[in-house]
Amino acid sequence: MGQNIIGSGAVGLVFKSVILPVHDAARWLDECLQSVLEQDFQGSMQLSVYDDASKDDSMNIIRKWATKLEDRGVHVVIGGHESSHPKGVGFAKNQAIVQSFGRFLCFLDADDVMMPQRVRLQYEAALTNNNCIIGCQVKREPEGSTERYARWINNLTQEQLVTQYNSEKNFE
């Protein structure tokens, strides 16, 4: 599959790259990508998608959304591989990072939906805090699902966030 840059012309300076690893995520992608489209961030933004050997309709959905996103000024880069075995979310995430070119990274899972202000608020926080990791709170749907996880993730201290980030990084 390789890398495919959607759109035309020079990209220029991209402030924020949304990193989206994908594997057999067709059932969630429409809602996920709609949340990228609805961001209120006014700066230059990129969506970097890496498909990890999906066997479902994920790539067709991504290509459909790429046009909509490009029409709204979001640069889209699509990469991936078509081997018989996926290489894992860590691999896909790292490949999406490699093909991205934003100054800041925003991680998004294919089964997640971002609130419209997420990219803007994280960008503003990054500008005022050098060398930082910026998290966000989550809202689980349906209400009350994985209540313990939501309570844990939404109450992480700065130190716990760094520890969690480093723990996940070591497994990828």
Side-chain angles (χ1 to χ4, degrees):
M1 180 180 304
Q3 180 178 335
N4 183 19
I5 299 177
I6 307 295
S8 60
V11 173
L13 177 64
V14 172
F15 293 122
K16 195 84 174 198
S17 289
V18 176
I19 304 300
L20 180 62
V22 173
H23 174 72
D24 289 341
R27 65 179 167 239
W28 301 293
L29 281 171
D30 281 322
E31 194 173 4
C32 175
L33 295 169
Q34 181 69 38
S35 77
V36 174
L37 188 69
E38 292 174 351
Q39 290 301 298
D40 65 8
F41 180 63
Q42 297 299 308
S44 180
M45 192 168 76
Q46 172 197 46
L47 175 67
S48 179
V49 180
Y50 192 85
D51 179 59
D52 189 20
S54 291
K55 303 295 183 216
D56 66 0
D57 203 33
S58 292
M59 286 308 300
N60 289 330
I61 294 168
I62 290 165
R63 286 186 194 100
K64 174 188 80 173
W65 276 96
T67 303
K68 293 178 188 180
L69 290 161
E70 284 285 337
D71 288 347
R72 289 274 187 92
V74 178
H75 304 285
V76 180
V77 178
I78 302 170
H81 68 94
E82 297 174 351
S83 72
S84 57
H85 300 290
K87 297 182 180 183
V89 67
F91 175 82
K93 193 180 291 186
N94 288 334
Q95 293 306 304
I97 292 168
V98 167
Q99 70 187 21
S100 71
F101 41 86
R103 180 174 174 205
F104 300 103
L105 304 177
C106 176
F107 294 95
L108 177 64
D109 291 337
D111 62 346
D112 289 347
V113 175
M114 296 191 288
M115 298 301 286
Q117 68 277 16
R118 178 184 178 195
V119 171
R120 176 181 49 82
L121 292 175
Q122 288 183 337
Y123 176 73
E124 290 169 358
L127 289 178
T128 60
N129 299 284
N130 290 331
N131 299 318
C132 65
I133 299 169
I134 299 170
C136 64
Q137 293 190 328
V138 299
K139 177 182 171 188
R140 302 296 289 190
E141 291 183 8
E143 189 75 29
S145 67
T146 62
E147 185 176 332
R148 200 168 110 196
Y149 171 76
R151 189 172 46 251
W152 169 77
I153 195 87
N154 287 333
N155 290 297
L156 287 176
T157 65
Q158 185 68 29
E159 183 178 285
Q160 290 170 321
L161 178 62
V162 170
T163 300
Q164 183 65 28
Y165 169 78
N166 288 327
S167 296
E168 288 180 8
K169 187 174 162 186
N170 289 334
F171 285 105
E172 293 178 350

